[in-house]
Amino acid sequence: MTKTPPPIDRAGLIETRRDIHQHPELGFEETRTAGLIAERLRGLKYQVTPGVGKTGVVAVKKKDGRCVLIRADMDALPVEEANAVPYRSRVPGKMHACGHDGHVAIGLEVARRLAPLELDGSVKFAFQPAEEASNGAQAMISDGVLDSPRVDAAFGIHLWNDLPVGTVGIMAGPVMASVDQFEIQILGRGGHAAAPHQTIDPVLVAAHVVTALQSLVSRRRDPLSEAVVSVTEMHAGRAFNVIPDRADLRGTVRTFGGSFFEDAPRLVEETAQGIAVAFGAHANVQYHRLSAPLINNEELSALMRDVAAKVLGAGSVRQGVRTMGGEDMAYFLERVPGCFAFVGSAPGSSRASPHHSPTFDIDEESLVIGAELLTATAITYLNA
Ligand code: NI
């Protein structure tokens, strides 16, 4: 038993990431990925439980003391890969276009390096399904991933193409947004396009609702708190000369919490219904909370930032890296304190493709950095 982890296996990390990249699986379908993970972790003598949150895998190395959780998501996206690389996706219409293939490889490398160590506490790994659909974390939590041993702190990373490789973004407080989804049905009365006075035109009402929803951000929100309202779908009508009887809208609200987060469901409903009534129409509003804002704990963010400064040099640790994108690691961090860091993965010279795009790819040096960061964070936390 030793206190120093074995050297990082750069070639192994890249090989694992490329293997998973070639075999992408969508949320709750990650059976091959989960099988590979479970087999590796059993080989490392972890106590492995598959099927946690449907396709999730949990691995534990138990010891008296505190318990630290390392979380890695493992799902791909319904995107057709456009990269001509040797490790291109072999599955038509599916691709690791967000870097979760790298998260799995990093998680396994951290597990390999922590396995032989004598630590002052337990290490638990959560390989999580279905992050993109925002319900994998909840599935694992309801299956008890945070219990026995009870998790005291949770850490995770996201490879991040908005940051150059060699840098990381770590800060306390909210760093990823709440994700809400709304659906609005506007019910009018259809008729002839040439006789609008005999109808209640839901298309016109929908147009006013879309415009008014934008005023929520400009006029109903404290300008010092961040928020986005986007209407992203609009469906109505089937003919140029017929006023339809119904129009459907869908969209999303993003916040970092606070009063606008609390008020948004009511504001969206009141706005849509008020406008519809003013036009003689009726609006039905469904509002769903998909994920909470992701909030990093002050103390543990400082711990991870110190670790990152040791691994990369203080100049490479960026403050202020946040996004209005969502991340269901938020559900873990709602229950236990922890920190979620952004690990720069944009190739040095060229402009990086954005996440979720068919040309997304990472600079694989980021795998080494992510693995070093999480390994050292887990050791530092447990031995503190
Ligand atoms: Ni992602």
Side-chain angles (χ1 to χ4, degrees), residues 189-196 198-200 241-245:
R189 192 167 62 235
H192 201 294
Q198 293 169 356
T199 75
I200 296 168
N241 54 358
V242 177
I243 290 173
D245 58 6

Side-chain angles (χ1 to χ4, degrees), residues 176-182 210 212-232 250-257 259-261 263-265 267-268 287-289 291 322-326:
M176 294 190 80
S178 61
V179 180
D180 296 349
Q181 180 200 308
F182 58 81
V210 171
L213 287 175
Q214 289 309 310
S215 74
L216 298 184
V217 169
S218 72
R219 286 298 174 269
R220 302 297 288 269
R221 168 204 55 134
D222 177 344
L224 296 178
S225 76
E226 302 83 352
V228 174
V229 175
S230 292
V231 177
T232 52
R250 281 177 97 199
T252 184
V253 176
R254 310 289 175 110
T255 73
F256 285 136
S259 61
F260 189 75
F261 171 73
D263 296 344
L267 291 174
V268 168
Y287 199 97
H288 314 279
R289 301 270 199 208
S291 75
R322 307 198 283 171
T323 165
M324 297 308 281

